Amino acid sequence: MKQPSALATLIDALRALPGVGPKSAQRIAYHLMQHDRPGADKLGKALLNATSNLKHCLRCNTFTEAEICETCLDEQRDTSLLCVVETPADQVMLEQTLTYKGLYFVLMGRLSPLDGIGPKEIHFDRLVKRATDGAVREVVLATNFTNEGEATAHYIAQALKSRGLTVSRLARGVPVGGELEYVDAGTIARAMLDRRSV
Amino acid sequence: MKQPSALATLIDALRALPGVGPKSAQRIAYHLMQHDRPGADKLGKALLNATSNLKHCLRCNTFTEAEICETCLDEQRDTSLLCVVETPADQVMLEQTLTYKGLYFVLMGRLSPLDGIGPKEIHFDRLVKRATDGAVREVVLATNFTNEGEATAHYIAQALKSRGLTVSRLARGVPVGGELEYVDAGTIARAMLDRRSV
């Protein structure tokens, strides 16, 4: 039995979604066509609108519809601070903490040589140029605390320190609300080594 | 921090996908925009194409781009047999078995009073009209063997038998390759009750 071609094309196209295989794609397609055509229509338009209009900020590399994003244009921000994050999602999380008023650079990834992601893919040259613009004094590394995020932070730190910049890293330690009994040993070891006088 | 509006709209629209919440929607949006713009573009076009062109076959209710689907128009098929399935996915599975050469009626759902799905939502009146067209002699119920599928089969069987049609149900029993030790007791009980002479 042949599926109608509009349906077959949709099922095939849905496989672009991360983690969606042939069975899920088919289930999603039937769901949308049977129960949520307005949603499917809205999603179709949103995808085409986003692919045509979203680009990367020339300064911080985050997603924006303009040449320079709103954050980079915000005159209230401290231009001497530059925070390096892996993704726009991380940037959003940091903004929600209301503890940082500087600017950002979004790598859009992390170093991962096994996946073929090297300095070029994380826009390392642009980061160096951005960090050495004269205004930036301190670079805060806020990549993830995974193996790859740590390696990325280490790589960037080496390069920027050799250019005379102050480089810092988000503090590691016991999470707020954490009970020592249930926190992993590596985190407690780190918290002990980095202990602070009170 | 405000997300660019094309991105915010996309993240919101992605929530139409079944099982996708705000965090997944954000992750999918970033993935598509960063790593697979051609895929996003293709998906957007496929969605709009499907919502404008896919409709339901006037005879069997499956998805089709024409008035009557290819299966219903196929003159090789046995018009005296009508198989009732819940979804086009079930129809595809049955077709793959190559054991059935009759026609289909696709309910596009199952009776589920708690979810507000009654006879009207599964197009019961159209099914009765289709089954009593004079050509159909036997109706094979191939709804799922879940509680709701069984209830749907029972409901349809009662209504069609009272109209003088032969109604059958897919056989229940031990799956091919099944080891008795690992098959659930309900299935073995059913297989015992429905045992066949050899």
Side-chain angles (χ1 to χ4, degrees):
Chain A
M1 198 187 83
K2 244 181 72 235
Q3 306 252 28
S5 85
L7 189 64
T9 312
L10 175 59
I11 292 172
D12 184 56
L14 280 166
R15 300 197 49 192
L17 299 173
V20 171
K23 281 267 174 189
S24 313
Q26 184 171 287
R27 214 168 46 236
I28 295 171
Y30 291 147
H31 169 81
L32 290 175
M33 288 306 109
Q34 185 61 23
H35 300 293
D36 194 7
R37 291 205 181 206
D41 192 61
K42 203 173 117 192
L43 177 54
K45 286 177 182 143
L47 281 163
L48 296 182
N49 177 39
T51 50
S52 11
N53 294 329
L54 269 195
K55 43 197 173 184
H56 293 285
C57 172
L58 293 176
R59 293 193 78 200
C60 76
N61 200 34
T62 196
F63 289 120
T64 171
E65 290 174 83
E67 296 293 305
I68 307 282
C69 75
E70 287 185 26
T71 310
C72 285
L73 289 175
D74 184 350
E75 296 196 348
Q76 306 294 311
R77 299 223 163 219
D78 181 352
T79 55
S80 70
L81 281 172
L82 186 71
C83 180
V84 178
V85 292
E86 293 183 16
T87 67
D90 300 333
Q91 186 184 5
V92 170
M93 285 306 291
L94 280 168
E95 283 293 293
Q96 284 175 4
T97 66
L98 304 173
T99 54
Y100 178 74
K101 280 292 155 204
L103 294 168
Y104 290 90
F105 188 89
V106 183
L107 301 173
M108 293 288 177
R110 64 207 69 75
L111 286 180
S112 177
L114 291 180
D115 301 317
I117 300 173
K120 188 164 164 290
E121 282 70 28
I122 62 167
H123 312 278
F124 180 68
D125 290 345
R126 279 178 60 198
L127 167 60
V128 170
K129 208 166 145 221
R130 172 73 185 85
T132 53
D133 70 348
V136 175
R137 278 185 300 102
E138 178 180 348
V139 175
V140 184
L141 299 175
T143 54
N144 287 327
F145 287 79
T146 56
N147 286 341
E148 286 154 350
E150 292 279 21
T152 307
H154 180 76
Y155 182 87
I156 296 173
Q158 295 302 313
L160 295 185
K161 276 197 282 191
S162 74
R163 285 167 174 85
L165 284 158
T166 305
V167 181
S168 58
R169 179 91 171 104
L170 290 193
R172 273 168 290 214
V174 180
V176 173
E179 294 182 73
L180 291 193
E181 186 179 348
Y182 299 109
V183 172
D184 68 295
T187 298
I188 295 183
R190 199 71 234 183
M192 178 60 81
L193 292 171
D194 291 355
R195 67 189 179 279
R196 307 176 36 167
S197 60
V198 289
Chain B
M1 198 187 84
K2 244 180 70 232
Q3 305 250 29
S5 84
L7 190 62
T9 311
L10 175 59
I11 292 172
D12 184 56
L14 280 165
R15 299 197 49 193
L17 299 173
V20 170
K23 280 268 175 190
S24 312
Q26 183 171 287
R27 212 169 48 237
I28 295 171
Y30 290 147
H31 168 81
L32 290 175
M33 288 305 109
Q34 185 61 23
H35 300 293
D36 195 6
R37 291 205 180 208
D41 192 62
K42 203 173 117 193
L43 177 54
K45 286 178 182 144
L47 282 163
L48 297 182
N49 176 39
T51 50
S52 14
N53 293 330
L54 269 196
K55 44 196 173 186
H56 293 285
C57 172
L58 293 176
R59 295 192 77 201
C60 77
N61 200 34
T62 197
F63 290 120
T64 170
E65 290 173 84
E67 296 293 305
I68 308 283
C69 74
E70 287 185 27
T71 310
C72 285
L73 290 175
D74 184 349
E75 297 195 350
Q76 306 294 309
R77 298 226 165 217
D78 181 352
T79 55
S80 69
L81 282 172
L82 185 72
C83 179
V84 177
V85 293
E86 295 184 14
T87 66
D90 300 334
Q91 187 185 4
V92 170
M93 285 307 290
L94 280 168
E95 284 292 295
Q96 284 175 5
T97 66
L98 304 173
T99 55
Y100 179 75
K101 278 292 155 204
L103 295 168
Y104 289 90
F105 188 88
V106 183
L107 301 172
M108 292 289 178
R110 64 207 69 75
L111 287 180
S112 178
L114 291 178
D115 301 318
I117 300 173
K120 186 163 166 291
E121 282 69 27
I122 63 168
H123 313 278
F124 181 69
D125 290 344
R126 279 179 60 198
L127 167 58
V128 171
K129 208 167 146 223
R130 174 74 185 84
T132 55
D133 69 347
V136 175
R137 282 186 297 103
E138 178 180 348
V139 175
V140 183
L141 299 176
T143 54
N144 286 328
F145 287 79
T146 57
N147 287 341
E148 288 153 348
E150 292 278 21
T152 307
H154 180 76
Y155 182 87
I156 294 172
Q158 294 302 312
L160 295 185
K161 276 198 282 188
S162 73
R163 285 167 174 83
L165 284 157
T166 304
V167 180
S168 58
R169 179 93 170 102
L170 289 193
R172 274 167 290 214
V174 181
V176 173
E179 294 182 72
L180 291 194
E181 185 179 351
Y182 300 109
V183 172
D184 67 296
T187 297
I188 294 181
R190 200 69 235 183
M192 179 59 79
L193 292 171
D194 292 353
R195 67 189 179 277
R196 307 177 35 168
S197 61
V198 289

